[in-house]
Amino acid sequence: MAVDALDTRILRLLLEQPRTSVREYARILGVARGTLQARLDRMERDGVITGTGPSLSPAALGHPVLAFVHIEVTQGHLDDVGDALAAVPEIVEAFSITGGGDLLARVVGRDNAHLEDVIQKLISLPGVVRTRTEVALRERVPYRLLPLVESVGRATRA
């Protein structure tokens, strides 16, 4: 899906001012409310905009420990293990990957002991061969999309 200059400006506003109304976005951008709503609807339909909920902090929810767990899976059991991971609340994301393992999970814990308990739960899942855990010490670049949006916007103008 092509993102043009107006789409880029809309996305920037959504990221910078997520609690603003559609009417206010239209006023800021100097476009009709209907135009703005049509653009938002198209970007949602095309999968550019995937959610509108709040961004939550696991640390503020009492889970300040963050780890990335590589999970090696018995051949033919990737879907089963993926489904089992979805039932573990401390797993906030999981991806199929290439390289050293079959799955990569982002896992949060209340403390290191709790993290170990979660990892032990993962190891006991049918189809899991082994895990390798890397504990994050400090976030260096928070999850962000604005630089990518701006880059895409510049590319469409070139």
Side-chain angles (χ1 to χ4, degrees):
M1 186 231 138
V3 176
D4 66 15
L6 178 56
D7 293 335
T8 300
R9 291 173 55 212
I10 293 168
L11 293 170
R12 173 187 262 287
L13 272 176
L14 287 173
L15 292 168
E16 291 179 340
Q17 301 176 35
R19 298 181 70 162
T20 302
S21 69
V22 171
R23 174 183 281 172
E24 182 63 12
Y25 287 144
R27 188 194 66 72
I28 291 168
L29 295 170
V31 299
R33 186 192 170 288
T35 299
L36 180 70
Q37 189 63 60
R39 294 287 185 120
L40 290 170
D41 292 345
R42 178 180 48 81
M43 287 190 283
E44 284 181 12
R45 192 175 50 252
D46 292 346
V48 174
I49 299 172
T50 59
T52 57
S55 179
L56 304 177
S57 165
L61 291 170
H63 290 69
V65 177
L66 170 64
F68 298 92
V69 180
H70 297 260
I71 304 168
E72 188 177 323
V73 176
T74 304
Q75 286 188 350
H77 290 91
L78 192 60
D79 289 339
D80 296 334
V81 172
D83 291 345
L85 294 180
V88 179
E90 295 86 359
I91 295 179
V92 295
E93 288 184 297
F95 302 90
S96 298
I97 60 169
T98 63
D102 300 299
L103 294 164
L104 177 64
R106 186 154 101 156
V107 181
V108 295
R110 292 185 301 271
D111 52 35
N112 287 345
H114 179 233
L115 177 63
E116 181 182 15
D117 293 342
V118 173
I119 293 165
Q120 290 302 318
K121 185 186 303 183
L122 299 181
I123 292 169
S124 69
L125 294 175
V128 172
V129 176
R130 72 178 49 88
T131 65
R132 181 174 54 87
T133 303
E134 298 165 351
V135 175
L137 300 176
R138 180 181 298 159
E139 182 178 68
R140 297 295 180 168
V141 178
Y143 182 80
R144 79 246 171 93
L145 288 174
L146 186 55
L148 177 64
V149 166
E150 290 174 339
S151 174
V152 168
R154 282 191 299 274
T156 60
R157 291 188 293 260

